[in-house]
Amino acid sequence: MFDIQEELKKLPAKPGVYLMHNAQDEIIYVGKARILKNRVRQYFQSGYKRSIKIEHMVSHIAYFEYIITDSELEALVLECNLIKEHRPHYNTMLKDDKSYPYIKVTVQEDYPRILFCRNVKRDKSKYFGPYTSAGAVKETIELMHKVYKIRNCNRLLPRDIGKERPCLYHQINQCDAPCQGLVSKEEYKKNVEQALRFLNGDDKKIIQDLEEKMQAAAAELEFEQAAEYRDLIDSVKRIGEKQKINHTDGDDRDIIALAKAGDEAVISIFFIRNGKLLGRDHFHMTGIGDSEKKEILMDFVKQFYVGTPFIPKEILTQEEIPDKEILEKWLSDKRGAKVVFQTPKRGSKHQMMELAYKNAQNVLIKDSEKLKREEHRTIGAVHELEQLLGIRGLNRMEAFDISNTNGYENVASMVVFEKGKARRSDYRKFKIRTVAGPDDYRCMEEALERRFAHGIREKEEREEKGLDPELGSFTRFPDILMMDGGKGQVNVALQVLERLNLHIPVCGMVKDDFHRTRGLYYNNEIIQFPKNSEAFRMITRLQDEAHRFAIEYHKSLRSKGQVHSVLDDIRGVGPARRKALMRHFKDIGKIRQATVEELTQVDGITQNVAEEIFAFFHEEDTSKK
C-alpha cells in the first residue's frame, strides 16, 4: 500500500521529474522540479493555494514516482519527452501535432540539389523555412528547377558522371545534366548561388534576367520560348508576393500570442525568417482549466519546440513566461547558438504581436461558433430524443444490426454514440456462431447475449482485482439500446436483458418501404418525430452507421474467404454451380424445398448433382428430427 505522507518524507532535495498516477495506474500529470522535495510536497499541503484544476488532479492521485536528474535543464528535457509520450490528462496539452516543410539546399555537395524535407539535420546543408504550405514549397522548388536547371536526382557526382543516360528532367529542359558533364561545375554553382539569393528573398535579379531572355526570344521571333519566360516571371512574382517584409534586420524569430475563453485557448504563431513572414499557424490547447496565460504559453513552448527541427534566434511571447532562463538555455543547446525570449511592449515587434493575437482571437471565435453548431447537432439532438421518449440521461446509445447474404454466415455490428457523436473506439463486431442460414432474430439474440454477458463477466473480474469496473472494453452499458427494426427486434432485446437481469430501455428504429427512418418503436407504440429535427438526423446517422459497419465486416470476411455458403459443403457443387443455384432460386430456403427435377432445371446441375443437393438438405432435416 502506497503511503503518500511516508513517501513524501523520502523525497530528495535534488532536481528531477515527478509523475502522478491514479488508482488505475495511469499517469495523470508530469511535472519538473528544481528541488523535488519542496515541489511535490506542495501538492499535499492543506494551506497551499492551488488552482481548481490542480485541486481536482490531487484528489485523483493514488501514488507518485520521480526520476532524479543532474540539473534542472535535464529535468526540463525529460519532462517534455514524458509529456509527449504519455499525454497526461491534467497537463495542458498541445492538441495539434504538426510537422512543417522546409527547402533544403545541399550546398556541401559538388553539385548541390534543392529538396523538400520535414526534418532539419546538422549536415552542412542550408535550410529555408519552416513554411506552412507544403504546396508552396513544392511550387518554389519546381520553379528553381525550371529557372536554374538544378538537378534533383540521387546520383553521386562527380563519381557517376557519364555512367547512365540523362533523366527525363533533362529532356524537358529542367536540368542541365551535370551527370553527363554537359555543364561545368563552376557554371552549375553559379546557378545554385542565384537560387539561394531568391530563397533569401532577392527576386529582383531573377526577374531582370528572365525579362531580358524573354525580350531576346521575342526579337528572334521565338514566341513560344518568350511565352515560357513570361510564365516563369509570373511564377516568380507570385511566389515573391507571398513573403511579406516585416523587418529590415533579417533576423529569424517566432511570434507567439494566445487568445483564451473559458476552457478553450488558441495559440497563434508567426514564422519570420530573414525578416520575412514565411507563414503563420494556430494551435488548440486542451485541459487548460483555470491556468493563467503565461503558464499556457510556457506549456506550448515546451511541447512545440521539443518536436520542431528549426529554432529561431528570437521567440517573442505575448506575456513573460515562467522558467524563461532555463528554457533559453535548453533551446540554445538545441539550436547550437543563443536563443532569447522577449515580450515586446512597443514598436514594430509589438505590432506584430498584436496581429498574432487578433489572429488567435479570430480562430477562437470561429471555432466557438463551430462548436456551438456541433453541440446543437449532437447534444441538442440527444435532448430532443429525451423529450420524445420521456427519458432523462441518454448519454450513451448502442445500436445493433445484422448482415448476411443468403446461405452465408451471419455477422452483427455494435456501434456506439456518446453525446450524439460516434465513439468508434467502442465499436464491436460479432461473427455469429450458433445460427446457420438467415434468421435475424436468433442472430440478434446471440449478439446481445454475448455483448452483455461479456460485460457482466468483465465487470466482476475487474472488481475482484480492485480495478475500476467502468474501464473495461465491454463493461460500460448503454443508457438506451437502439435496435434496427420494429417490435420483433425490440422483443428479442427485452428477452435477453430480462434473462441477464438488466434494466435498459430498448427502442426500435423503424424504416419505411424505401428504407428510410420513419419513427421509433418504444413502449409498444411508434413515435413519429419531425423530419427536420436534429433528433431525426441523429437517429438516421446511428442507423446508417450500424448498417454500414455490419456490411463492411461481412464484406471483409467474405473477401478473405472466411465466410462460405452451405452449398460449398455439398459434393459436386463448386463456385459456378453455387452461383447458378442462387441466381435461379434466389435464396437457400427455396433450394432446400426444391425437388430433384426442379434442381435439374438449373444450368450446369446434372441428375447426380441434383440428387446430392436433395439428399444433403433432407438428410440434414432428418438429423434435426
Side-chain angles (χ1 to χ4, degrees), residues 53 157 189 205 214 220 264-265 279 281 310 319 332 433:
K53 184 180 86 168
L157 303 181
K189 286 218 166 183
K205 174 68 171 135
M214 179 182 68
E220 295 292 328
E264 298 176 62
D281 211 341
F310 182 85
E319 295 191 12
S332 296
R433 302 166 182 165

Side-chain angles (χ1 to χ4, degrees), residues 12-44:
K14 294 183 177 180
V17 173
Y18 53 92
L19 299 90
M20 303 299 193
H21 293 254
N22 64 12
Q24 288 74 49
D25 200 32
E26 298 168 332
I27 296 173
I28 59 174
Y29 188 79
V30 174
K32 74 161 182 67
R34 187 167 58 87
I35 301 175
L36 282 166
K37 186 175 184 178
N38 297 345
R39 183 71 186 97
V40 178
R41 277 183 172 179
Q42 289 175 348
Y43 288 100
F44 303 98

Side-chain angles (χ1 to χ4, degrees), residues 442-471:
R442 288 177 58 204
C443 291
M444 186 64 74
E445 183 180 13
E446 180 190 325
L448 292 170
E449 185 93 35
R450 284 167 57 188
R451 183 266 178 270
F452 289 109
H454 188 160
I456 292 170
R457 187 167 60 253
E458 192 177 4
K459 271 188 178 183
E460 292 171 350
E461 290 172 354
R462 291 184 68 84
E463 285 173 350
E464 288 175 4
K465 295 177 182 178
L467 301 174
D468 189 338
E470 294 301 316
L471 294 180

Side-chain angles (χ1 to χ4, degrees), residues 42 49 90 107 223 228 255 275 290 337 420 423 480 547 590:
Q42 289 175 348
K49 187 178 178 181
Y90 287 99
V107 292
F223 298 117
E228 288 180 11
I255 298 174
D290 55 347
R423 186 180 175 87
I480 190 168
H547 191 56
K590 291 180 180 178

Side-chain angles (χ1 to χ4, degrees), residues 4-22:
I4 289 180
Q5 294 305 319
E6 285 298 316
E7 294 300 324
L8 287 174
K9 297 175 184 178
K10 302 175 185 176
L11 285 165
K14 294 183 177 180
V17 173
Y18 53 92
L19 299 90
M20 303 299 193
H21 293 254
N22 64 12

Side-chain angles (χ1 to χ4, degrees), residues 277-288:
L277 177 63
L278 286 191
R280 59 189 178 187
D281 211 341
H282 67 270
F283 299 83
H284 291 267
M285 302 293 288
T286 60
I288 63 171

